[in-house]
Amino acid sequence: MTNPVTIKSLEEIELMRQSGKLLAQVFAMLDDYVKPGLTTMEINNRVEDFIVNELQARPASKGQYGYQYVLNSSLNEVVCHGVPSETQTIKAKDIINLDITLEKDGFIADSSKMYVMPEAPPLASALVEATYQAMWEGIKQVKPGATLGDIGYAIQHFAEKHGYSVVREYCGHGIGREMHEAPQVLHYGMPHQGMTLREGMTFTIEPMINQGTAKTKTKRDGWTVVTRDKKLSAQSEHTVLVTATGYEVLTLRAEEALI
């Protein structure tokens, strides 16, 4: 990620808006679909069908870095990069993150959402809500002249104030024609440190927040990242544009419009 940051033109921003709006529709579909009893592979297959056949778009994760599926499905203690499985069934007490990318007309949108099952314990729901709010604390720092450190600090401060820890090994990233562009967007840091934000930058903010320690490990499949202490983890993610006066969330969902 040593390449320079790509400042998007007005035409490119409009194409990214289009991709972001389509991706928001995927989550709207999932809101009525995800429930206990489904396998994570069934969710993967439904999302692929929806993106390809209903939205006339491309699932950008499939085939990238050798990955075979259209989403990551991360349950409970899985921090990120959970692999869909025909034998992994969602249970009534689970929380699950669905991380999905979509490409339309050459530009990629990336977002993830937590789904809390009906019998999930209150501590799980609290973690999910705090993670979502931490993401927004980061997003609200975005404006020209702010720094990446401002974003990271806001997320870290909020999470730690609520007794949680921030995963360090994985971060947000620039996005556009490529899934992963410069810069790296850390979810911890110090105010006024790091790269200065400029109008036309596009990147993801996607904190992974743990119930216990921040330490993680990768399972033998080479993909699935879990908490070392087996406690719960949650993640929220949006693709964000730096505007002339602040930010625009390109993957904003209908239920978030009033935020």
Side-chain angles (χ1 to χ4, degrees), residues 15-26 47 50-52 55-61 70 99-111 175-176 179 239 251:
L15 289 170
M16 290 200 68
R17 277 196 191 103
Q18 179 187 26
S19 296
K21 287 176 181 175
L22 291 176
L23 184 50
Q25 290 181 39
V26 177
V47 167
F50 188 80
I51 290 174
V52 172
L55 301 182
Q56 309 296 307
R58 181 179 72 85
S61 300
V70 304
D99 188 347
I100 305 169
T101 62
L102 178 152
E103 181 261 316
K104 179 75 171 180
D105 294 333
F107 285 88
I108 299 171
D110 187 0
S111 183
I175 188 169
M179 174 95 72
T239 297
T251 47

PDB file of all heavy atoms in Angstrom, residues 15-26 47 50-52 55-61 70 99-111 175-176 179 239 251:
ATOM      1  N   LEU A  15     -19.933   7.301  -9.800  1.00  0.00           N
ATOM      2  CA  LEU A  15     -19.943   5.849  -9.994  1.00  0.00           C
ATOM      3  C   LEU A  15     -19.806   5.116  -8.650  1.00  0.00           C
ATOM      4  O   LEU A  15     -20.427   4.071  -8.440  1.00  0.00           O
ATOM      5  CB  LEU A  15     -18.814   5.444 -10.945  1.00  0.00           C
ATOM      6  CG  LEU A  15     -19.029   5.849 -12.411  1.00  0.00           C
ATOM      7  CD1 LEU A  15     -17.757   5.634 -13.217  1.00  0.00           C
ATOM      8  CD2 LEU A  15     -20.194   5.083 -13.023  1.00  0.00           C
ATOM      9  N   MET A  16     -19.002   5.670  -7.747  1.00  0.00           N
ATOM     10  CA  MET A  16     -18.873   5.057  -6.426  1.00  0.00           C
ATOM     11  C   MET A  16     -20.180   5.169  -5.642  1.00  0.00           C
ATOM     12  O   MET A  16     -20.549   4.255  -4.899  1.00  0.00           O
ATOM     13  CB  MET A  16     -17.714   5.685  -5.664  1.00  0.00           C
ATOM     14  CG  MET A  16     -16.366   5.291  -6.254  1.00  0.00           C
ATOM     15  SD  MET A  16     -14.985   5.517  -5.113  1.00  0.00           S
ATOM     16  CE  MET A  16     -15.336   4.273  -3.870  1.00  0.00           C
ATOM     17  N   ARG A  17     -20.883   6.287  -5.804  1.00  0.00           N
ATOM     18  CA  ARG A  17     -22.212   6.416  -5.180  1.00  0.00           C
ATOM     19  C   ARG A  17     -23.142   5.307  -5.672  1.00  0.00           C
ATOM     20  O   ARG A  17     -23.891   4.723  -4.899  1.00  0.00           O
ATOM     21  CB  ARG A  17     -22.839   7.763  -5.543  1.00  0.00           C
ATOM     22  CG  ARG A  17     -22.399   8.914  -4.694  1.00  0.00           C
ATOM     23  CD  ARG A  17     -23.342  10.098  -4.852  1.00  0.00           C
ATOM     24  NE  ARG A  17     -22.713  11.239  -4.209  1.00  0.00           N
ATOM     25  CZ  ARG A  17     -22.096  12.223  -4.856  1.00  0.00           C
ATOM     26  NH1 ARG A  17     -22.044  12.218  -6.179  1.00  0.00           N
ATOM     27  NH2 ARG A  17     -21.541  13.207  -4.187  1.00  0.00           N
ATOM     28  N   GLN A  18     -23.083   5.058  -6.966  1.00  0.00           N
ATOM     29  CA  GLN A  18     -23.938   4.021  -7.551  1.00  0.00           C
ATOM     30  C   GLN A  18     -23.631   2.661  -6.934  1.00  0.00           C
ATOM     31  O   GLN A  18     -24.545   1.932  -6.519  1.00  0.00           O
ATOM     32  CB  GLN A  18     -23.734   3.993  -9.064  1.00  0.00           C
ATOM     33  CG  GLN A  18     -24.563   2.934  -9.784  1.00  0.00           C
ATOM     34  CD  GLN A  18     -24.204   2.829 -11.263  1.00  0.00           C
ATOM     35  OE1 GLN A  18     -23.096   3.157 -11.669  1.00  0.00           O
ATOM     36  NE2 GLN A  18     -25.130   2.348 -12.063  1.00  0.00           N
ATOM     37  N   SER A  19     -22.357   2.321  -6.841  1.00  0.00           N
ATOM     38  CA  SER A  19     -21.973   1.043  -6.243  1.00  0.00           C
ATOM     39  C   SER A  19     -22.409   0.973  -4.782  1.00  0.00           C
ATOM     40  O   SER A  19     -22.900  -0.056  -4.305  1.00  0.00           O
ATOM     41  CB  SER A  19     -20.455   0.844  -6.335  1.00  0.00           C
ATOM     42  OG  SER A  19     -20.044   0.764  -7.677  1.00  0.00           O
ATOM     43  N   GLY A  20     -22.214   2.071  -4.055  1.00  0.00           N
ATOM     44  CA  GLY A  20     -22.585   2.100  -2.647  1.00  0.00           C
ATOM     45  C   GLY A  20     -24.073   1.912  -2.431  1.00  0.00           C
ATOM     46  O   GLY A  20     -24.498   1.195  -1.511  1.00  0.00           O
ATOM     47  N   LYS A  21     -24.871   2.534  -3.269  1.00  0.00           N
ATOM     48  CA  LYS A  21     -26.333   2.401  -3.145  1.00  0.00           C
ATOM     49  C   LYS A  21     -26.771   0.971  -3.439  1.00  0.00           C
ATOM     50  O   LYS A  21     -27.682   0.439  -2.789  1.00  0.00           O
ATOM     51  CB  LYS A  21     -27.028   3.388  -4.077  1.00  0.00           C
ATOM     52  CG  LYS A  21     -26.943   4.822  -3.595  1.00  0.00           C
ATOM     53  CD  LYS A  21     -27.557   5.789  -4.592  1.00  0.00           C
ATOM     54  CE  LYS A  21     -27.443   7.230  -4.088  1.00  0.00           C
ATOM     55  NZ  LYS A  21     -27.912   8.204  -5.088  1.00  0.00           N
ATOM     56  N   LEU A  22     -26.139   0.342  -4.412  1.00  0.00           N
ATOM     57  CA  LEU A  22     -26.465  -1.053  -4.707  1.00  0.00           C
ATOM     58  C   LEU A  22     -26.103  -1.952  -3.528  1.00  0.00           C
ATOM     59  O   LEU A  22     -26.875  -2.851  -3.156  1.00  0.00           O
ATOM     60  CB  LEU A  22     -25.736  -1.514  -5.970  1.00  0.00           C
ATOM     61  CG  LEU A  22     -26.198  -0.884  -7.290  1.00  0.00           C
ATOM     62  CD1 LEU A  22     -25.316  -1.372  -8.435  1.00  0.00           C
ATOM     63  CD2 LEU A  22     -27.665  -1.195  -7.581  1.00  0.00           C
ATOM     64  N   LEU A  23     -24.936  -1.708  -2.921  1.00  0.00           N
ATOM     65  CA  LEU A  23     -24.531  -2.533  -1.797  1.00  0.00           C
ATOM     66  C   LEU A  23     -25.491  -2.356  -0.612  1.00  0.00           C
ATOM     67  O   LEU A  23     -25.808  -3.320   0.088  1.00  0.00           O
ATOM     68  CB  LEU A  23     -23.100  -2.204  -1.393  1.00  0.00           C
ATOM     69  CG  LEU A  23     -22.485  -3.054  -0.286  1.00  0.00           C
ATOM     70  CD1 LEU A  23     -22.658  -4.547  -0.549  1.00  0.00           C
ATOM     71  CD2 LEU A  23     -21.012  -2.716  -0.105  1.00  0.00           C
ATOM     72  N   ALA A  24     -25.961  -1.137  -0.403  1.00  0.00           N
ATOM     73  CA  ALA A  24     -26.949  -0.911   0.658  1.00  0.00           C
ATOM     74  C   ALA A  24     -28.206  -1.749   0.415  1.00  0.00           C
ATOM     75  O   ALA A  24     -28.829  -2.241   1.373  1.00  0.00           O
ATOM     76  CB  ALA A  24     -27.294   0.571   0.744  1.00  0.00           C
ATOM     77  N   GLN A  25     -28.567  -1.945  -0.853  1.00  0.00           N
ATOM     78  CA  GLN A  25     -29.737  -2.774  -1.168  1.00  0.00           C
ATOM     79  C   GLN A  25     -29.517  -4.234  -0.792  1.00  0.00           C
ATOM     80  O   GLN A  25     -30.467  -4.944  -0.437  1.00  0.00           O
ATOM     81  CB  GLN A  25     -30.060  -2.674  -2.656  1.00  0.00           C
ATOM     82  CG  GLN A  25     -30.602  -1.331  -3.094  1.00  0.00           C
ATOM     83  CD  GLN A  25     -30.915  -1.312  -4.583  1.00  0.00           C
ATOM     84  OE1 GLN A  25     -31.424  -2.292  -5.141  1.00  0.00           O
ATOM     85  NE2 GLN A  25     -30.611  -0.207  -5.229  1.00  0.00           N
ATOM     86  N   VAL A  26     -28.259  -4.694  -0.871  1.00  0.00           N
ATOM     87  CA  VAL A  26     -27.961  -6.073  -0.472  1.00  0.00           C
ATOM     88  C   VAL A  26     -28.287  -6.266   1.010  1.00  0.00           C
ATOM     89  O   VAL A  26     -28.924  -7.251   1.409  1.00  0.00           O
ATOM     90  CB  VAL A  26     -26.492  -6.427  -0.758  1.00  0.00           C
ATOM     91  CG1 VAL A  26     -26.182  -7.845  -0.275  1.00  0.00           C
ATOM     92  CG2 VAL A  26     -26.176  -6.284  -2.242  1.00  0.00           C
ATOM     93  N   VAL A  47     -26.729 -13.964  -1.487  1.00  0.00           N
ATOM     94  CA  VAL A  47     -26.115 -12.673  -1.800  1.00  0.00           C
ATOM     95  C   VAL A  47     -25.537 -12.674  -3.212  1.00  0.00           C
ATOM     96  O   VAL A  47     -25.704 -11.708  -3.963  1.00  0.00           O
ATOM     97  CB  VAL A  47     -25.031 -12.332  -0.755  1.00  0.00           C
ATOM     98  CG1 VAL A  47     -24.162 -11.159  -1.226  1.00  0.00           C
ATOM     99  CG2 VAL A  47     -25.677 -12.010   0.585  1.00  0.00           C
ATOM    100  N   PHE A  50     -28.355 -12.347  -5.682  1.00  0.00           N
ATOM    101  CA  PHE A  50     -28.946 -11.009  -5.637  1.00  0.00           C
ATOM    102  C   PHE A  50     -28.053  -9.995  -6.344  1.00  0.00           C
ATOM    103  O   PHE A  50     -28.537  -9.187  -7.157  1.00  0.00           O
ATOM    104  CB  PHE A  50     -29.166 -10.607  -4.177  1.00  0.00           C
ATOM    105  CG  PHE A  50     -29.949  -9.344  -3.994  1.00  0.00           C
ATOM    106  CD1 PHE A  50     -31.331  -9.343  -4.082  1.00  0.00           C
ATOM    107  CD2 PHE A  50     -29.300  -8.148  -3.730  1.00  0.00           C
ATOM    108  CE1 PHE A  50     -32.058  -8.171  -3.914  1.00  0.00           C
ATOM    109  CE2 PHE A  50     -30.015  -6.970  -3.552  1.00  0.00           C
ATOM    110  CZ  PHE A  50     -31.397  -6.979  -3.643  1.00  0.00           C
ATOM    111  N   ILE A  51     -26.748 -10.035  -6.056  1.00  0.00           N
ATOM    112  CA  ILE A  51     -25.833  -9.078  -6.676  1.00  0.00           C
ATOM    113  C   ILE A  51     -25.773  -9.272  -8.188  1.00  0.00           C
ATOM    114  O   ILE A  51     -25.861  -8.313  -8.961  1.00  0.00           O
ATOM    115  CB  ILE A  51     -24.417  -9.205  -6.064  1.00  0.00           C
ATOM    116  CG1 ILE A  51     -24.408  -8.695  -4.618  1.00  0.00           C
ATOM    117  CG2 ILE A  51     -23.394  -8.429  -6.901  1.00  0.00           C
ATOM    118  CD1 ILE A  51     -23.089  -8.905  -3.895  1.00  0.00           C
ATOM    119  N   VAL A  52     -25.653 -10.519  -8.605  1.00  0.00           N
ATOM    120  CA  VAL A  52     -25.449 -10.798 -10.030  1.00  0.00           C
ATOM    121  C   VAL A  52     -26.743 -10.628 -10.822  1.00  0.00           C
ATOM    122  O   VAL A  52     -26.778  -9.945 -11.859  1.00  0.00           O
ATOM    123  CB  VAL A  52     -24.882 -12.220 -10.220  1.00  0.00           C
ATOM    124  CG1 VAL A  52     -24.839 -12.589 -11.699  1.00  0.00           C
ATOM    125  CG2 VAL A  52     -23.490 -12.317  -9.606  1.00  0.00           C
ATOM    126  N   LEU A  55     -29.138  -7.063  -9.180  1.00  0.00           N
ATOM    127  CA  LEU A  55     -28.481  -5.762  -9.240  1.00  0.00           C
ATOM    128  C   LEU A  55     -27.591  -5.605 -10.466  1.00  0.00           C
ATOM    129  O   LEU A  55     -27.076  -4.507 -10.709  1.00  0.00           O
ATOM    130  CB  LEU A  55     -27.654  -5.538  -7.968  1.00  0.00           C
ATOM    131  CG  LEU A  55     -28.434  -5.570  -6.651  1.00  0.00           C
ATOM    132  CD1 LEU A  55     -27.500  -5.287  -5.489  1.00  0.00           C
ATOM    133  CD2 LEU A  55     -29.594  -4.579  -6.659  1.00  0.00           C
ATOM    134  N   GLN A  56     -27.397  -6.692 -11.219  1.00  0.00           N
ATOM    135  CA  GLN A  56     -26.553  -6.639 -12.425  1.00  0.00           C
ATOM    136  C   GLN A  56     -25.168  -6.082 -12.098  1.00  0.00           C
ATOM    137  O   GLN A  56     -24.616  -5.245 -12.815  1.00  0.00           O
ATOM    138  CB  GLN A  56     -27.214  -5.781 -13.510  1.00  0.00           C
ATOM    139  CG  GLN A  56     -28.653  -6.147 -13.805  1.00  0.00           C
ATOM    140  CD  GLN A  56     -28.791  -7.556 -14.374  1.00  0.00           C
ATOM    141  OE1 GLN A  56     -28.131  -7.892 -15.341  1.00  0.00           O
ATOM    142  NE2 GLN A  56     -29.660  -8.358 -13.788  1.00  0.00           N
ATOM    143  N   ALA A  57     -24.612  -6.566 -10.994  1.00  0.00           N
ATOM    144  CA  ALA A  57     -23.297  -6.111 -10.543  1.00  0.00           C
ATOM    145  C   ALA A  57     -22.405  -7.325 -10.301  1.00  0.00           C
ATOM    146  O   ALA A  57     -22.810  -8.476 -10.525  1.00  0.00           O
ATOM    147  CB  ALA A  57     -23.442  -5.262  -9.277  1.00  0.00           C
ATOM    148  N   ARG A  58     -21.185  -7.063  -9.813  1.00  0.00           N
ATOM    149  CA  ARG A  58     -20.222  -8.144  -9.591  1.00  0.00           C
ATOM    150  C   ARG A  58     -19.838  -8.200  -8.115  1.00  0.00           C
ATOM    151  O   ARG A  58     -19.494  -7.172  -7.540  1.00  0.00           O
ATOM    152  CB  ARG A  58     -18.968  -7.903 -10.435  1.00  0.00           C
ATOM    153  CG  ARG A  58     -17.893  -8.981 -10.295  1.00  0.00           C
ATOM    154  CD  ARG A  58     -16.688  -8.683 -11.176  1.00  0.00           C
ATOM    155  NE  ARG A  58     -15.883  -7.578 -10.682  1.00  0.00           N
ATOM    156  CZ  ARG A  58     -14.907  -7.691  -9.762  1.00  0.00           C
ATOM    157  NH1 ARG A  58     -14.628  -8.885  -9.241  1.00  0.00           N
ATOM    158  NH2 ARG A  58     -14.223  -6.633  -9.384  1.00  0.00           N
ATOM    159  N   PRO A  59     -19.884  -9.396  -7.506  1.00  0.00           N
ATOM    160  CA  PRO A  59     -19.365  -9.536  -6.140  1.00  0.00           C
ATOM    161  C   PRO A  59     -17.842  -9.464  -6.173  1.00  0.00           C
ATOM    162  O   PRO A  59     -17.175 -10.380  -6.656  1.00  0.00           O
ATOM    163  CB  PRO A  59     -19.875 -10.908  -5.698  1.00  0.00           C
ATOM    164  CG  PRO A  59     -20.176 -11.656  -6.960  1.00  0.00           C
ATOM    165  CD  PRO A  59     -20.460 -10.651  -8.026  1.00  0.00           C
ATOM    166  N   ALA A  60     -17.289  -8.358  -5.661  1.00  0.00           N
ATOM    167  CA  ALA A  60     -15.878  -8.064  -5.889  1.00  0.00           C
ATOM    168  C   ALA A  60     -14.935  -8.958  -5.103  1.00  0.00           C
ATOM    169  O   ALA A  60     -13.761  -9.089  -5.453  1.00  0.00           O
ATOM    170  CB  ALA A  60     -15.601  -6.598  -5.568  1.00  0.00           C
ATOM    171  N   SER A  61     -15.417  -9.583  -4.025  1.00  0.00           N
ATOM    172  CA  SER A  61     -14.529 -10.433  -3.212  1.00  0.00           C
ATOM    173  C   SER A  61     -14.245 -11.773  -3.874  1.00  0.00           C
ATOM    174  O   SER A  61     -13.198 -12.378  -3.635  1.00  0.00           O
ATOM    175  CB  SER A  61     -15.145 -10.669  -1.832  1.00  0.00           C
ATOM    176  OG  SER A  61     -15.332  -9.455  -1.148  1.00  0.00           O
ATOM    177  N   VAL A  70     -18.429 -14.783  -1.909  1.00  0.00           N
ATOM    178  CA  VAL A  70     -18.809 -13.395  -2.163  1.00  0.00           C
ATOM    179  C   VAL A  70     -18.863 -12.566  -0.881  1.00  0.00           C
ATOM    180  O   VAL A  70     -19.061 -11.352  -0.943  1.00  0.00           O
ATOM    181  CB  VAL A  70     -20.150 -13.297  -2.910  1.00  0.00           C
ATOM    182  CG1 VAL A  70     -20.100 -14.093  -4.202  1.00  0.00           C
ATOM    183  CG2 VAL A  70     -21.309 -13.747  -2.045  1.00  0.00           C
ATOM    184  N   ASP A  99     -19.746  -9.225   5.752  1.00  0.00           N
ATOM    185  CA  ASP A  99     -18.867  -8.235   5.116  1.00  0.00           C
ATOM    186  C   ASP A  99     -18.909  -8.506   3.613  1.00  0.00           C
ATOM    187  O   ASP A  99     -18.516  -9.584   3.160  1.00  0.00           O
ATOM    188  CB  ASP A  99     -17.453  -8.385   5.671  1.00  0.00           C
ATOM    189  CG  ASP A  99     -16.514  -7.282   5.219  1.00  0.00           C
ATOM    190  OD1 ASP A  99     -16.862  -6.535   4.287  1.00  0.00           O
ATOM    191  OD2 ASP A  99     -15.427  -7.177   5.792  1.00  0.00           O
ATOM    192  N   ILE A 100     -19.387  -7.511   2.854  1.00  0.00           N
ATOM    193  CA  ILE A 100     -19.702  -7.732   1.444  1.00  0.00           C
ATOM    194  C   ILE A 100     -19.110  -6.610   0.595  1.00  0.00           C
ATOM    195  O   ILE A 100     -19.126  -5.440   0.991  1.00  0.00           O
ATOM    196  CB  ILE A 100     -21.237  -7.778   1.238  1.00  0.00           C
ATOM    197  CG1 ILE A 100     -21.863  -8.839   2.156  1.00  0.00           C
ATOM    198  CG2 ILE A 100     -21.579  -8.065  -0.218  1.00  0.00           C
ATOM    199  CD1 ILE A 100     -23.373  -8.781   2.214  1.00  0.00           C
ATOM    200  N   THR A 101     -18.591  -6.966  -0.566  1.00  0.00           N
ATOM    201  CA  THR A 101     -18.106  -5.976  -1.526  1.00  0.00           C
ATOM    202  C   THR A 101     -18.846  -6.152  -2.847  1.00  0.00           C
ATOM    203  O   THR A 101     -19.281  -7.255  -3.198  1.00  0.00           O
ATOM    204  CB  THR A 101     -16.597  -6.119  -1.773  1.00  0.00           C
ATOM    205  OG1 THR A 101     -16.345  -7.410  -2.343  1.00  0.00           O
ATOM    206  CG2 THR A 101     -15.813  -5.982  -0.486  1.00  0.00           C
ATOM    207  N   LEU A 102     -18.969  -5.045  -3.570  1.00  0.00           N
ATOM    208  CA  LEU A 102     -19.723  -5.053  -4.821  1.00  0.00           C
ATOM    209  C   LEU A 102     -19.055  -4.099  -5.793  1.00  0.00           C
ATOM    210  O   LEU A 102     -18.665  -2.988  -5.413  1.00  0.00           O
ATOM    211  CB  LEU A 102     -21.162  -4.620  -4.522  1.00  0.00           C
ATOM    212  CG  LEU A 102     -22.161  -4.493  -5.676  1.00  0.00           C
ATOM    213  CD1 LEU A 102     -23.587  -4.739  -5.155  1.00  0.00           C
ATOM    214  CD2 LEU A 102     -22.106  -3.100  -6.328  1.00  0.00           C
ATOM    215  N   GLU A 103     -18.912  -4.540  -7.032  1.00  0.00           N
ATOM    216  CA  GLU A 103     -18.334  -3.682  -8.080  1.00  0.00           C
ATOM    217  C   GLU A 103     -19.355  -3.456  -9.182  1.00  0.00           C
ATOM    218  O   GLU A 103     -20.014  -4.396  -9.650  1.00  0.00           O
ATOM    219  CB  GLU A 103     -17.073  -4.322  -8.663  1.00  0.00           C
ATOM    220  CG  GLU A 103     -16.409  -3.478  -9.745  1.00  0.00           C
ATOM    221  CD  GLU A 103     -16.781  -3.947 -11.146  1.00  0.00           C
ATOM    222  OE1 GLU A 103     -16.780  -5.168 -11.366  1.00  0.00           O
ATOM    223  OE2 GLU A 103     -17.071  -3.087 -11.994  1.00  0.00           O
ATOM    224  N   LYS A 104     -19.508  -2.186  -9.574  1.00  0.00           N
ATOM    225  CA  LYS A 104     -20.394  -1.817 -10.683  1.00  0.00           C
ATOM    226  C   LYS A 104     -19.692  -0.744 -11.506  1.00  0.00           C
ATOM    227  O   LYS A 104     -19.218   0.254 -10.952  1.00  0.00           O
ATOM    228  CB  LYS A 104     -21.728  -1.279 -10.130  1.00  0.00           C
ATOM    229  CG  LYS A 104     -22.722  -0.844 -11.186  1.00  0.00           C
ATOM    230  CD  LYS A 104     -23.377  -2.023 -11.870  1.00  0.00           C
ATOM    231  CE  LYS A 104     -24.529  -1.562 -12.779  1.00  0.00           C
ATOM    232  NZ  LYS A 104     -25.170  -2.700 -13.457  1.00  0.00           N
ATOM    233  N   ASP A 105     -19.620  -0.969 -12.799  1.00  0.00           N
ATOM    234  CA  ASP A 105     -19.018   0.012 -13.707  1.00  0.00           C
ATOM    235  C   ASP A 105     -17.609   0.411 -13.279  1.00  0.00           C
ATOM    236  O   ASP A 105     -17.205   1.575 -13.384  1.00  0.00           O
ATOM    237  CB  ASP A 105     -19.904   1.248 -13.833  1.00  0.00           C
ATOM    238  CG  ASP A 105     -21.230   0.937 -14.509  1.00  0.00           C
ATOM    239  OD1 ASP A 105     -21.283  -0.027 -15.302  1.00  0.00           O
ATOM    240  OD2 ASP A 105     -22.223   1.633 -14.229  1.00  0.00           O
ATOM    241  N   GLY A 106     -16.856  -0.583 -12.750  1.00  0.00           N
ATOM    242  CA  GLY A 106     -15.448  -0.367 -12.475  1.00  0.00           C
ATOM    243  C   GLY A 106     -15.104   0.123 -11.090  1.00  0.00           C
ATOM    244  O   GLY A 106     -13.922   0.238 -10.760  1.00  0.00           O
ATOM    245  N   PHE A 107     -16.124   0.396 -10.247  1.00  0.00           N
ATOM    246  CA  PHE A 107     -15.835   0.924  -8.908  1.00  0.00           C
ATOM    247  C   PHE A 107     -16.461   0.057  -7.827  1.00  0.00           C
ATOM    248  O   PHE A 107     -17.566  -0.470  -7.982  1.00  0.00           O
ATOM    249  CB  PHE A 107     -16.308   2.376  -8.791  1.00  0.00           C
ATOM    250  CG  PHE A 107     -15.392   3.305  -9.517  1.00  0.00           C
ATOM    251  CD1 PHE A 107     -15.594   3.578 -10.869  1.00  0.00           C
ATOM    252  CD2 PHE A 107     -14.300   3.870  -8.885  1.00  0.00           C
ATOM    253  CE1 PHE A 107     -14.738   4.412 -11.561  1.00  0.00           C
ATOM    254  CE2 PHE A 107     -13.430   4.695  -9.567  1.00  0.00           C
ATOM    255  CZ  PHE A 107     -13.643   4.975 -10.904  1.00  0.00           C
ATOM    256  N   ILE A 108     -15.720  -0.059  -6.717  1.00  0.00           N
ATOM    257  CA  ILE A 108     -16.058  -1.021  -5.671  1.00  0.00           C
ATOM    258  C   ILE A 108     -16.566  -0.309  -4.424  1.00  0.00           C
ATOM    259  O   ILE A 108     -16.027   0.734  -4.031  1.00  0.00           O
ATOM    260  CB  ILE A 108     -14.814  -1.874  -5.311  1.00  0.00           C
ATOM    261  CG1 ILE A 108     -14.359  -2.657  -6.550  1.00  0.00           C
ATOM    262  CG2 ILE A 108     -15.101  -2.825  -4.152  1.00  0.00           C
ATOM    263  CD1 ILE A 108     -13.027  -3.372  -6.380  1.00  0.00           C
ATOM    264  N   ALA A 109     -17.590  -0.884  -3.808  1.00  0.00           N
ATOM    265  CA  ALA A 109     -18.083  -0.463  -2.496  1.00  0.00           C
ATOM    266  C   ALA A 109     -17.887  -1.620  -1.527  1.00  0.00           C
ATOM    267  O   ALA A 109     -17.961  -2.789  -1.905  1.00  0.00           O
ATOM    268  CB  ALA A 109     -19.552  -0.070  -2.568  1.00  0.00           C
ATOM    269  N   ASP A 110     -17.657  -1.282  -0.257  1.00  0.00           N
ATOM    270  CA  ASP A 110     -17.331  -2.281   0.765  1.00  0.00           C
ATOM    271  C   ASP A 110     -18.040  -1.877   2.054  1.00  0.00           C
ATOM    272  O   ASP A 110     -17.921  -0.734   2.494  1.00  0.00           O
ATOM    273  CB  ASP A 110     -15.803  -2.281   0.958  1.00  0.00           C
ATOM    274  CG  ASP A 110     -15.293  -3.391   1.876  1.00  0.00           C
ATOM    275  OD1 ASP A 110     -16.108  -4.177   2.377  1.00  0.00           O
ATOM    276  OD2 ASP A 110     -14.062  -3.446   2.069  1.00  0.00           O
ATOM    277  N   SER A 111     -18.787  -2.812   2.630  1.00  0.00           N
ATOM    278  CA  SER A 111     -19.525  -2.501   3.859  1.00  0.00           C
ATOM    279  C   SER A 111     -19.774  -3.784   4.625  1.00  0.00           C
ATOM    280  O   SER A 111     -19.783  -4.881   4.049  1.00  0.00           O
ATOM    281  CB  SER A 111     -20.857  -1.819   3.512  1.00  0.00           C
ATOM    282  OG  SER A 111     -21.565  -1.435   4.667  1.00  0.00           O
ATOM    283  N   ILE A 175     -10.253   2.873  -1.297  1.00  0.00           N
ATOM    284  CA  ILE A 175     -11.047   2.004  -2.171  1.00  0.00           C
ATOM    285  C   ILE A 175     -11.508   2.809  -3.384  1.00  0.00           C
ATOM    286  O   ILE A 175     -11.685   4.024  -3.297  1.00  0.00           O
ATOM    287  CB  ILE A 175     -12.253   1.414  -1.392  1.00  0.00           C
ATOM    288  CG1 ILE A 175     -12.976   0.343  -2.218  1.00  0.00           C
ATOM    289  CG2 ILE A 175     -13.207   2.513  -0.926  1.00  0.00           C
ATOM    290  CD1 ILE A 175     -13.986  -0.458  -1.409  1.00  0.00           C
ATOM    291  N   GLY A 176     -11.681   2.127  -4.500  1.00  0.00           N
ATOM    292  CA  GLY A 176     -12.137   2.780  -5.722  1.00  0.00           C
ATOM    293  C   GLY A 176     -12.179   1.760  -6.844  1.00  0.00           C
ATOM    294  O   GLY A 176     -12.972   0.831  -6.815  1.00  0.00           O
ATOM    295  N   MET A 179      -9.982  -2.810  -4.715  1.00  0.00           N
ATOM    296  CA  MET A 179     -10.535  -3.062  -3.380  1.00  0.00           C
ATOM    297  C   MET A 179      -9.681  -2.413  -2.296  1.00  0.00           C
ATOM    298  O   MET A 179     -10.185  -1.800  -1.364  1.00  0.00           O
ATOM    299  CB  MET A 179     -10.597  -4.564  -3.130  1.00  0.00           C
ATOM    300  CG  MET A 179     -11.010  -4.919  -1.729  1.00  0.00           C
ATOM    301  SD  MET A 179     -12.732  -5.209  -1.648  1.00  0.00           S
ATOM    302  CE  MET A 179     -12.842  -6.781  -2.488  1.00  0.00           C
ATOM    303  N   THR A 239     -18.100   2.590   3.487  1.00  0.00           N
ATOM    304  CA  THR A 239     -17.230   3.293   2.557  1.00  0.00           C
ATOM    305  C   THR A 239     -17.580   4.774   2.613  1.00  0.00           C
ATOM    306  O   THR A 239     -18.756   5.142   2.491  1.00  0.00           O
ATOM    307  CB  THR A 239     -17.406   2.753   1.126  1.00  0.00           C
ATOM    308  OG1 THR A 239     -17.008   1.372   1.090  1.00  0.00           O
ATOM    309  CG2 THR A 239     -16.573   3.544   0.135  1.00  0.00           C
ATOM    310  N   THR A 251     -22.112   4.022   1.362  1.00  0.00           N
ATOM    311  CA  THR A 251     -22.836   2.759   1.544  1.00  0.00           C
ATOM    312  C   THR A 251     -23.948   2.899   2.573  1.00  0.00           C
ATOM    313  O   THR A 251     -24.428   1.905   3.125  1.00  0.00           O
ATOM    314  CB  THR A 251     -21.860   1.654   1.978  1.00  0.00           C
ATOM    315  OG1 THR A 251     -21.014   2.149   3.032  1.00  0.00           O
ATOM    316  CG2 THR A 251     -20.984   1.202   0.817  1.00  0.00           C
TER     317      THR A 251
END
